[in-house]
Structure formats: C-alpha cells, structure tokens
C-alpha cells in the first residue's frame, strides 16, 4: 500500500465532480456528436488522466506513478470491448444519435459507483486471502481462451437481467419521447426505451467488470491506484465511443491483442500469488514490464489492423 495523502483523494474527487459537471453543461442540449467534437473531448480526458498521473508520480512516488499509468492504460485498452457492446445496444434499441451521450453519461455514473464497490471488495479479499489471485488468474485465462477461440459470450441487450427486471418493475413503452426517461400515459408513469438502454449499459459494465477488476488488481492492490486509474479510463469512454464509432470494425486484430494482454496479466497473477503464498524465490513481474508489454501489444495490434484490413474491405475506405 502506498502512502497517499488525504488531500490527494479530495483533489481527485473535485476533479471528477467538476469534469462531469462541465461535460453535462456542454451537452445540456441533445445533439449528434461528430468526430471532431468527440476527438477534442477524448484528447481532453486523456490529458486530464495523464496530468493526474504526473501528480501521482510527484506526490506518491515513482512506483505508484508506474502502477497508476499501467492500470489506466490496461483499463483503457480493455474498455474497447465496451465500445463494441455500446454499438450493439444502441443498434438493438435503435437509439437516436442525439440521445446517446445522455445514456452513456448515466452509464458512466453507474460504472464509477459499481467499479468502486467491486475494486474495494477485491482489494479487501486479496489482502486477507492472497490465494484468491489464482481464481482471478483462472478467470483471465478463461477469457483469453474464449477470445482466441472466437467463443466470447455474445451480449443480448433485450434479454439482459437488468432490462428484464426493469420491465417487471415499471411498464416500458415502445416509442421514444425525446430525451425523457419517463412519461405519463393514461395517468400513470411509464418508462421510455431510453431507460431500458441505460439498464442494458449498466448490465454490460457489470459483465466486463468480471475481467477488468481481476486484471487491474494484478497491477496494484492499492485502492487509490486501482480506483483513480479506472475512473479516468471510464470517464473518457463516451468520447472514445463517438470518436471510434465508425471505425471499430477496422481494428479487427485488437481483440487478439487484448486476449494476449489478459493472458499475460493472468501469468503475472499466478507468479504474484505463488511468490506470496509458496516461496519468495518465485519471481514477480514488475509493473514497468507490464506497462511495456501492454503498450507494445496494443501498438502492434492496431498497426497490423491498419496494414491488413479485413477481407473484402477497401483499404482506402
């Protein structure tokens, strides 16, 4: 655990709250977000995450800074899978582009809360029962296998538990009512499909947390490091989605890169658990090496995807 001053937690909370407020104010009017606007916002979120990482380096120390950077980049890369699911959900519910940002904004708020709970629980379990790292490693190895074999579980938005529970709690109408989540019909309050979309987004994040939480805990067991890195990665998801919405299919080798990263992190967890529970003679993989591996694998995956487009796709398209 790192010696993190309390004021740095306060700074983090203030940054997140102010950033969300600015984002909400900038998008107070529903509109279609174009590539240029999304790129500008994505650059802003990345800059904010990097600057905060610099503060971590200066205040908490080099080791903490490397762990933060590694965890942030890992979560950022794993979140690419979320973008594919966002596209699937929006297509399934035929969500107008002008309302998609509002849905993702609420999705981000939910993700910040649930990830915080999961990560805190994960850190507590690892601290008291180190052998659980073997279980986390098994989860990552299984995810790696499914991706490489093309057996990754498909996500059906309409059949997700969250959406089915929502329909049991409150009636959901078939038509949208602008950006509203609720309307009154015949004197009773009913939900619009937009609320069902939020439920589907939150359900998808819970599914992805199964891989994400064990992976980031392999980088650090410090609550401050794992949560702040996850939070900054999550905050930039909306802008990244709108920036890459039309380009996701081009990065067809990225899934294999993510599989390799998950496998590597699984090995790191096994070595870490064995080092702490069996023998200290078993080597551990330093965070700096993990960071280098993630950067190289992502760079190679993206480069190969660009140089070798999918069969039947025009390279100049």
């Amino acid at each position: 655990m790192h010696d993190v001053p309390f004021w740095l937690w306060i700074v983090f909370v203030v940054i997140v709250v102010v950033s969300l407020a600015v984002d909400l104010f900038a998008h107070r009017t529903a509109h279609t977000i174009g590539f240029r606007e999304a790129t500008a916002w994505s650059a802003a979120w990345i800059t904010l995450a990097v600057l905060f990482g610099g503060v971590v380096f200066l205040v908490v120390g080099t080791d903490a800074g490397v762990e933060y950077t590694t965890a942030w980049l890992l979560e950022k890369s794993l979140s690419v899978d979320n973008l594919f699911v966002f596209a699937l959900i929006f297509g399934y519910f035929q969500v107008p582009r002008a309302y998609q940002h509002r849905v993702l904004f609420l999705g981000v708020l939910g993700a910040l809360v649930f990830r915080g709970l999961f990560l805190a629980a994960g850190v507590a379990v690892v601290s008291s029962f180190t052998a659980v790292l073997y279980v986390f490693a098994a989860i990552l190895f299984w995810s790696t296998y499914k991706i490489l074999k093309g057996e990754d579980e498909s996500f059906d938005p309409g059949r997700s538990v969250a959406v089915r529970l929502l329909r049991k709690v409150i009636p959901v109408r078939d038509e949208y009512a602008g950006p509203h989540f609720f309307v009154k019909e015949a004197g009773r309050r009913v939900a619009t499909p937009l609320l069902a979309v939020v439920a589907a987004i939150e359900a998808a994040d819970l599914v992805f947390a199964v891989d994400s939480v064990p992976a980031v805990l392999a980088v650090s067991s410090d609550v401050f490091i794992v949560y702040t890195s996850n939070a900054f990665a999550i905050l930039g998801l909306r802008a990244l989605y709108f920036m890459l919405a039309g380009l996701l299919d081009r990065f067809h080798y990225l899934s294999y890169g993510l599989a390799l990263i998950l496998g590597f992190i699984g090995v790191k967890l096994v070595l870490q658990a064995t080092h702490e529970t069996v023998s200290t003679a078993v080597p551990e993989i330093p965070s700096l090496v993990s960071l280098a591996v993630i950067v190289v694998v992502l760079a190679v995956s993206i480069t190969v995807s660009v140089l070798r487009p999918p069969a039947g796709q025009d390279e100049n398209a």
Side-chain angles (χ1 to χ4, degrees), residues 28-31 93-103 173-183 185 191-195 197-198:
R28 62 190 182 282
T29 302
H31 65 282
F93 287 99
Q94 298 181 331
V95 183
R97 287 182 60 85
Y99 307 145
Q100 291 178 3
H101 181 275
R102 187 174 187 185
V103 169
R173 56 180 281 172
D174 296 326
E175 300 82 19
Y176 288 95
H180 302 294
F181 293 103
F182 298 96
V183 294
E185 289 185 347
T192 71
L194 213 56
L195 187 62
V197 177
V198 173

Side-chain angles (χ1 to χ4, degrees), residues 36 52 66 71 73 81 113 135 149 165 170-171 187 230 266 279 289 309:
R36 181 176 297 180
F52 187 82
V66 172
L73 187 58
D81 273 351
V113 174
V135 178
K149 289 293 185 179
L165 287 176
I170 186 172
N230 258 247
S279 172
V289 173

Side-chain angles (χ1 to χ4, degrees), residues 270-282:
V270 170
L271 292 176
Q272 180 181 338
T274 305
H275 176 87
E276 296 184 17
T277 62
V278 179
S279 172
T280 55
V282 176

Side-chain angles (χ1 to χ4, degrees), residues 228-247:
T228 56
S229 59
N230 258 247
F232 279 112
I234 291 171
L235 286 172
L237 263 184
R238 289 155 300 157
L240 189 62
Y241 169 77
F242 291 113
M243 187 177 74
L244 300 179
L247 303 174

